[in-house]
DNA sequence: TTGCTCCTCACGTCACGTGAGGTGGC
DNA sequence: TTGCTCCTCACGTCACGTGAGGTGGC
């Protein structure tokens, strides 16, 4: 009995608030060593103090409670360490994005965006090998990497090579709802066999207003904005998914400042009769 | 009309989701240039696109919506820049705390805490000059700095000097409820005149179990835990606020690893008859 | 016995997302 | 006219915090 702490003392011992401790009990994340059946009083053992400290540090690192539970429940050390390492990797990603966002904010507050040229182009039908899935905006980057790697591997296995830069067809819902269908593709000379997620896909012809975005994708919304303003100004809007082409991307250089991304926004064909 | 965008096109232009845009409209943060009275359809002007980009970047930096509104509404450039600089400073603080938390997590997972000695001491009454306020746990650090600076300035103005290290008396509620009364004090030879927030305060005598925490305060919960386990083991618990003394702190060295903080936990007097 | 600690329960907060059910615009 | 876009409204989510109203322990 002498080694049990009331919730208030346990709060002082761990620097977790009483409300937080009750919340963790409700969720089964940090269950008191004993609970008085008559009064409902929670009693924590001194052995639980280091557990509280660990939980607090994971929360300081924004780890979701469900994931903390997974770490605490991990059977063996390797799987526990894997979960932690994965979270630290996500955290580092977040820190990098924060640094980029600060730089990008300074940029945007300094002045108007660099006025990139917008041109119109008739895109013919295109033979490709593609992976199509519904993706959350938050998960885009790792999904995209994996898909593109798989496409290159698929071509290599069939002794084929891409006959142009990689690209993507992005459903409207991806922007308006934060998740939607995306196809990542590599253009091919021939129709390739389907392997794994990769399937042959022929992109339909389309009329596009295109802009080339220079640099990292943290800023890519500015090029989308320029394109949207252009299309709105000309009243050229027509439905259909957006296109992206990665003229220079992560496979060519790790220097994000050197990336070149073409964005294509579907429009009416200029000078042609509008569809009735 | 040709320069107005439907909400879906504005979402594509800014990479803010439609749900998010409607939310910002409800809050008055980003109000459409026009709203159709019959249908409720929102129309955004192309001039609003850069505003959307700015809002998105502030959100990427975790700026609360109310604060973003304050930035957008700022009348002059200096006050706008001040709000932004303040947020960036907070952000940098958060990044530093994240780095510390990662290091501290590695520490705690490596092994048991360094077993610091716990001793008992009778603390006599102490004449001090102090600032007492109710503080949120999240605001502790800047509040503490400001209060301590003010105390030193108060003494200097009266040609006095502290006769011992700075300390604090911390109400239990500060730990259990995340906010509570704190007094920061400097011990004085004489009773000083009250100036500003600083008033003369005589601390009552108290029996303490004390531990000395070595290093930065990100880890201080571990020393609190060791102390709590000791007190629980001896069944020595008695009410009353905690004491801290800053033997070596931020005024002595900016190398946080060299800090030494004494934590005092009120206990029964060992070997003395318990109060009846 | 007093006063503090502890209890539950319902609701609030922040920044949206989900989903139902329905209407408008090209 | 069809089908897509857009609308509102109510509720859900995450990790707690607030506050009411009440009981238990030293």
């Amino acid at each position: 009995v002498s080694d049990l702490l009331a919730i208030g003392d346990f709060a002082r011992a761990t620097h977790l608030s009483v409300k937080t401790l009750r919340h963790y009990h409700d969720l089964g994340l940090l269950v008191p060593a004993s609970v008085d059946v008559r009064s409902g009083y929670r009693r924590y053992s001194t052995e639980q103090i280091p557990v509280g400290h660990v939980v607090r540090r994971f929360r300081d690192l924004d780890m979701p409670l469900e994931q903390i539970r997974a770490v605490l429940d991990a059977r063996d050390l390797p799987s526990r360490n894997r979960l932690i390492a994965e979270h630290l990797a996500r955290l580092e990603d977040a820190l990098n994005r924060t640094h980029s966002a600060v730089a990008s904010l300074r940029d945007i507050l300094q002045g108007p965006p660099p006025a990139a040229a917008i041109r119109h182009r008739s895109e013919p039908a295109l033979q490709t090998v593609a992976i199509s899935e519904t993706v959350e905006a938050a998960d885009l980057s790792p999904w995209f990497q994996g898909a593109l790697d798989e496409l290159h591997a698929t071509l290599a296995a069939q002794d084929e090579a891409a006959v142009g830069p990689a690209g993507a067809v992005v459903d409207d819902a991806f922007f308006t709802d934060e998740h939607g269908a995306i196809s990542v593709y590599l253009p091919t000379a021939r129709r390739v066999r389907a392997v794994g997620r990769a399937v042959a896909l022929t992109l339909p012809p389309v009329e596009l207003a295109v802009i080339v975005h220079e640099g990292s994708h943290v800023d890519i919304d500015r090029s989308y904005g320029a394109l949207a303003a252009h299309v709105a100004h000309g009243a050229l809007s027509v439905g259909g998914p957006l296109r992206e082409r990665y003229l220079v991307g992560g496979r060519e250089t790790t220097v994000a400042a050197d990336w070149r991304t073409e964005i294509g926004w579907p429009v009416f064909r200029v000078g042609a009769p509008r569809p009735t």
Side-chain angles (χ1 to χ4, degrees), chain A:
Chain A
V1 181
S2 67
D3 283 310
L4 291 179
L5 291 83
I7 195 167
D9 285 326
F10 194 69
R12 276 177 280 270
T14 57
H15 289 198
L16 293 164
S17 80
V18 167
K19 298 283 185 178
T20 299
L21 287 171
R22 288 205 268 254
H23 186 57
Y24 292 172
H25 181 193
D26 289 348
L27 297 182
L29 182 62
L30 192 49
V31 179
S34 91
V35 178
D36 187 302
V37 280
R38 307 188 71 82
S39 66
Y41 273 39
R42 298 168 177 84
R43 301 284 167 178
Y44 296 83
S45 74
T46 51
E47 287 86 51
Q48 294 185 290
I49 294 174
V51 182
H53 291 157
V54 169
V55 171
R56 211 171 87 87
R57 272 156 189 73
F58 282 130
R59 285 301 300 139
D60 283 347
L61 300 178
D62 282 325
M63 190 184 275
L65 296 180
E66 270 315 305
Q67 235 182 292
I68 296 178
R69 190 214 303 271
V71 170
L72 295 182
D73 291 354
R75 263 297 133 77
D76 49 301
L77 203 60
S79 59
R80 192 191 70 167
N81 287 340
R82 188 176 46 75
L83 287 169
I84 296 173
E86 280 171 11
H87 182 72
L88 292 183
R90 273 192 297 275
L91 197 66
E92 202 182 325
D93 267 21
L95 291 188
N96 288 337
R97 264 178 287 119
T98 298
H99 280 299
S100 305
V102 170
S104 172
L105 177 64
R106 289 197 203 286
D107 249 39
I108 218 169
L109 294 175
Q110 282 317 305
I118 295 171
R119 293 186 301 165
H120 286 238
R121 194 174 67 212
S122 287
E123 190 79 2
L126 189 64
Q127 172 102 314
T128 75
V129 58
I131 293 177
S132 304
E133 268 172 37
T134 294
V135 182
E136 300 289 314
D139 306 334
L140 179 62
S141 181
W143 178 84
F144 185 87
Q145 272 308 309
L148 196 55
D149 289 349
E150 188 172 334
L151 289 175
H152 278 285
T154 302
L155 283 193
Q158 299 190 28
D159 276 327
E160 295 277 351
V163 297
V169 180
V170 187
D171 204 87
D172 283 350
F174 185 78
F175 300 107
T176 57
D177 290 0
E178 300 277 271
H179 51 81
I182 299 194
S183 299
V184 180
Y185 69 79
L186 288 172
T188 55
R190 286 194 299 250
R191 190 179 173 81
V192 300
R193 272 181 292 112
V195 182
R197 296 184 294 172
V199 296
L201 177 70
T202 303
L203 302 184
V206 65
E207 198 73 13
L208 295 176
V210 300
I211 196 170
V212 174
H213 177 77
E214 312 267 353
S216 147
H217 286 190
V218 286
D219 273 355
I220 206 165
D221 55 344
R222 302 187 78 186
S223 293
Y224 270 84
L227 210 45
H230 168 84
V231 171
H233 191 62
L236 302 165
S237 192
V238 69
L242 279 136
R243 302 272 185 113
E244 290 191 352
R245 286 207 305 165
Y246 310 101
L247 308 179
V248 179
R251 293 182 75 90
E252 283 75 43
T253 172
T254 55
V255 182
D258 293 338
W259 291 355
R260 290 166 53 81
T261 307
E262 188 188 87
I263 306 163
W265 189 295
V267 289
F268 283 121
R269 183 181 190 121
V270 178
R274 298 200 171 187
T276 45

